[in-house]
Amino acid sequence: MSVYHKPLKRKPSGGRRKPHRKHKKKCHIGRPPTMTTVGDVEKRKKIRTKGGGLKIRLYVAAYANVLDPETKQYKKVRILRVVENAANREFTRMQIITKGAIIETEIGLARVTSRPGQDGVVNAILIKKKEEKRPSSGQESG
């Protein structure tokens, strides 16, 4: 499946635009979005782009590189779920990770800073740490 990015058929005034070439050009052909989901095992694929470059597409993500702003340390942690995705509310239901999505990890909530479908990796910044349960001392004031 390929996505064809063709010119608009109508002018802003409502008039029709005639095609300025008979055949589709290679530069107008795109690819469908990656739609990176949360899973147990990571799945990647190398894609050759126009000009001979490479993109690593991440189809299923299991881990994220999370930066703790307080300690300035990165940790590789497991992704549990997608909490919120501002790009599209349906992406939250479908557990799709995009740049700007808020994910729940083992160490807390984090905001994704990379583009997983383009970079092949999930990088994030920790925004809220998980509260650790402390054992009660047995003496409660009341």
Side-chain angles (χ1 to χ4, degrees):
M1 178 176 132
S2 67
V3 179
Y4 175 57
H5 302 287
K6 56 184 173 255
L8 298 171
K9 292 193 177 191
R10 295 251 175 212
K11 299 180 195 176
S13 64
R16 285 184 59 86
R17 282 202 170 119
K18 300 251 175 140
H20 57 281
R21 63 175 63 93
K22 288 184 178 180
H23 303 288
K24 296 176 186 175
K25 287 189 77 178
K26 186 91 172 175
C27 66
H28 286 169
I29 296 173
R31 291 188 181 98
T34 306
M35 303 288 194
T36 305
T37 58
V38 180
D40 294 333
V41 181
E42 295 198 336
K43 184 179 167 189
R44 288 182 176 84
K45 195 184 277 187
K46 287 182 182 177
I47 301 284
R48 184 190 179 274
T49 60
K50 189 174 178 185
L54 278 178
K55 280 185 188 177
I56 301 170
R57 294 243 162 148
L58 181 64
Y59 291 99
V60 180
Y63 294 95
N65 302 316
V66 179
L67 173 71
D68 188 354
E70 293 174 7
T71 61
K72 304 281 194 278
Q73 296 286 316
Y74 273 96
K75 291 180 186 170
K76 183 179 177 181
V77 293
R78 185 169 280 282
I79 300 170
L80 303 176
R81 67 188 180 101
V82 177
V83 177
E84 184 185 338
N85 197 328
N88 188 341
R89 76 170 113 177
E90 296 296 325
F91 287 178
T92 308
R93 293 182 193 155
M94 295 160 59
Q95 297 292 294
I96 292 174
I97 303 170
T98 59
K99 183 177 177 178
I102 296 173
I103 55 174
E104 184 182 345
T105 64
E106 293 172 330
I107 58 173
L109 296 179
R111 176 174 279 113
V112 178
T113 57
S114 65
R115 298 174 71 190
Q118 311 266 345
D119 305 334
V121 68
V122 179
N123 294 330
I125 296 179
L126 194 65
I127 53 174
K128 196 195 305 185
K129 283 190 178 179
K130 272 197 174 175
E131 296 293 323
E132 294 179 15
K133 293 186 179 179
R134 296 178 185 164
S136 61
S137 60
Q139 296 176 349
E140 294 183 15
S141 61

